[in-house]
């Protein structure tokens, strides 16, 4: 998931009307801006300067080259001078990579006492970019427009968000999901059109029998299991009965065997995400809990009960969030706290919540599950740190995919939860539980989500723009009637293809 290996190409438009000296100066300015953006630590992909573009042929060639360069995840375009937009028709029509329009200029301030017509002829982005913007709108192109001086922190922050979304979108189009077993029986929202998803996102989703996985699990050696259980003991709070020599140590070894086999299966198949379901555990001694948690922490996407859409989305957001503070995890809205003035949602799952969102060092524990009919499974138990977060759900609406995002405030539990041996998060949805849950249900949001304390709504909105996916946001400003109207407008717009 190394984001710095990706490239974003910096394209600058001009024309020969201004003479070779002006074009040379445009190139110097453009090279400086690209180099400065490349030096900004918050923008992980490399910003790569490309020579100034002045003809339709040059523009078309560089756009086609961007399409076929695997590590080019997007392009930034800027019109330093006036670049006639008809020059861009062929190139923009051919471009298949995400596009950010940086509406900036080389100088921050007007040089009041020195400004002359030479300066004006060179620094024409104020209307050169508007010419360019018209053509993108005329061609109905999805893009992000960022306005401001290139050295401004706010501008760089917007570029950074878009760059992460572009890197994630590039990785998304190569995601391979392994489904162990099928969907949880009779459940609707975790189903979906896998052919449509591959056409839309690039997801490759295929099923594998539990026997195939069990064969690999059983190949784990005693030496590998010894090493992994020692890693468990060093990494987590672990009771004496689970440690080496303890009466339940054999169960922890079985959990390690499952992790080794599951990890090997995913690596050998080149998978980025996977699903399991407690209704199909043939050949496994336990429901994979600890293994799933640790593989998520390593960057894999996961969805429970066969939920391949959430598994793939989690992988996409893991890539997007790499290196940012906080964590990103599979999650489920489990139960409510309806106390007046303190209404909240307790999020958890049977076992599978990623320790990247843990507030403190997790405890490794083993308890009965009461579902699945297998031996007591191992799992990491922890609370999630308080702070801003979001929940995202990707659902199949039949004629399109929709992403629903709800901003939340993660809070500390009012009291300890000594009898709930699972990883959990407690949050207050925006604008409140009543409106937030009603809006979520109205939009068709799933009970499975991706929970993130690393990403913002801007990250996910930019991603949806690149993917051509309907985006629906529930936040502090949501009013239910207006929200319903927006869903109706979206329905009409998507049916019309606008």
């Amino acid at each position: 998931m190394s984001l710095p290996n990706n490239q974003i190409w910096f394209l600058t438009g001009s024309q020969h009307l201004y003479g070779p000296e002006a074009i040379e100066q445009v190139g110097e300015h453009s090279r400086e801006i690209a180099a400065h953006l490349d030096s900004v630590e918050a923008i992980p992909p490399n910003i790569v300067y490309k020579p100034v573009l002045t003809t339709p042929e040059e523009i078309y060639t560089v756009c086609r080259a961007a399409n076929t360069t695997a590590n080019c995840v997007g392009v930034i375009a800027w019109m330093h001078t006036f670049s006639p937009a008809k020059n861009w028709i062929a190139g923009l029509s051919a471009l298949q990579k995400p596009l950010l329009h940086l509406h900036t200029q080389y100088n921050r301030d007007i040089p009041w006492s020195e400004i002359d017509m030479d300066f004006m002829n060179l620094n024409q982005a104020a209307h050169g970019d508007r010419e360019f913007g018209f053509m993108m709108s005329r061609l109905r192109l999805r893009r992000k427009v960022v306005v401001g001086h290139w050295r401004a922190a706010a501008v760089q922050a917007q570029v950074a968000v878009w760059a992460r979304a572009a890197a994630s979108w590039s990785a998304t189009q190569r995601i391979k999901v392994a489904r162990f077993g099928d969907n949880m029986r009779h459940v609707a929202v975790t189903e979906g059109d896998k052919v449509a998803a591959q056409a839309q996102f690039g997801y490759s989703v295929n099923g594998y029998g539990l026997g195939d996985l069990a064969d690999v699990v059983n190949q784990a050696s005693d030496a590998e299991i010894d090493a992994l259980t020692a890693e468990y003991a060093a990494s987590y709070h672990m009771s004496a009965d689970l440690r080496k020599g303890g009466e339940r140590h054999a169960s922890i070894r079985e959990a390690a065997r499952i992790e080794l086999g599951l990890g090997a299966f995913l690596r050998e198949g080149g998978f980025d995400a996977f699903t399991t379901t407690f209704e199909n555990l043939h050949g496994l001694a336990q429901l994979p809990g600890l293994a799933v948690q640790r593989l998520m922490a390593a960057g894999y996407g996961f969805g429970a009960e066969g939920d391949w859409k959430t598994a793939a989305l989690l992988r996409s957001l893991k890539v997007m969030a790499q290196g940012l503070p906080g964590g990103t995890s599979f999650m489920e809205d489990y139960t409510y706290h309806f106390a007046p003035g303190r209404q909240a949602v307790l999020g958890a799952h049977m076992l599978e919540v990623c320790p990247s969102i843990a507030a403190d060092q997790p405890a490794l524990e083993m308890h009965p599950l009461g579902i699945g009919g297998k031996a007591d499974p191992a799992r990491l138990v922890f609370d999630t740190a308080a702070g801003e977060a979001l929940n995202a759900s990707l659902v199949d609406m039949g004629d399109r995919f929709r992403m629903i995002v709800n901003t939340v405030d993660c809070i500390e539990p009012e009291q300890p939860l000594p009898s709930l041996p699972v990883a959990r998060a407690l949050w207050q949805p925006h604008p409140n539980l009543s409106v937030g849950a009603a809006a979520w249900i109205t939009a068709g949001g799933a009970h499975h989500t991706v929970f993130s304390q690393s990403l913002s709504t801007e990250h996910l909105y930019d991603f949806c723009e690149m993917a051509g996916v309907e985006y629906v946001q529930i936040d502090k400003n949501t009013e239910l009637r207006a929200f319903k109207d927006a869903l109706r407008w979206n329905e009409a717009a998507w049916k019309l293809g606008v």
Side-chain angles (χ1 to χ4, degrees), residues 259-282:
E259 180 180 341
L260 289 164
L262 182 53
F265 191 103
L266 297 174
R267 288 191 299 273
E268 290 167 10
F271 296 105
D272 308 285
F274 65 103
T275 72
T276 62
T277 173
F278 63 84
E279 289 184 321
N280 192 340
L281 296 174
H282 179 74

Side-chain angles (χ1 to χ4, degrees), residues 247-300:
E247 59 181 309
R248 305 187 72 188
H249 183 65
S251 295
I252 288 293
R253 290 180 63 82
E254 192 59 40
R257 186 188 304 277
I258 293 172
E259 180 180 341
L260 289 164
L262 182 53
F265 191 103
L266 297 174
R267 288 191 299 273
E268 290 167 10
F271 296 105
D272 308 285
F274 65 103
T275 72
T276 62
T277 173
F278 63 84
E279 289 184 321
N280 192 340
L281 296 174
H282 179 74
L284 300 182
Q286 306 172 9
L287 173 65
L290 177 62
V292 171
Q293 291 178 293
R294 285 172 51 85
L295 287 166
M296 277 194 286
Y300 285 96

Side-chain angles (χ1 to χ4, degrees), residues 82 115 137 144 167 169 173 191 197 204 209 237 239 245 254 281 318 327 351 359 431 436 452 457 466 490:
F82 194 87
I115 188 168
S137 296
K144 182 171 187 174
W169 173 235
Q173 295 169 80
E191 290 282 16
S204 175
H237 294 296
S239 60
E254 192 59 40
L281 296 174
K318 286 276 190 184
L351 304 174
S452 181
T457 56
M466 295 169 191
N490 282 8

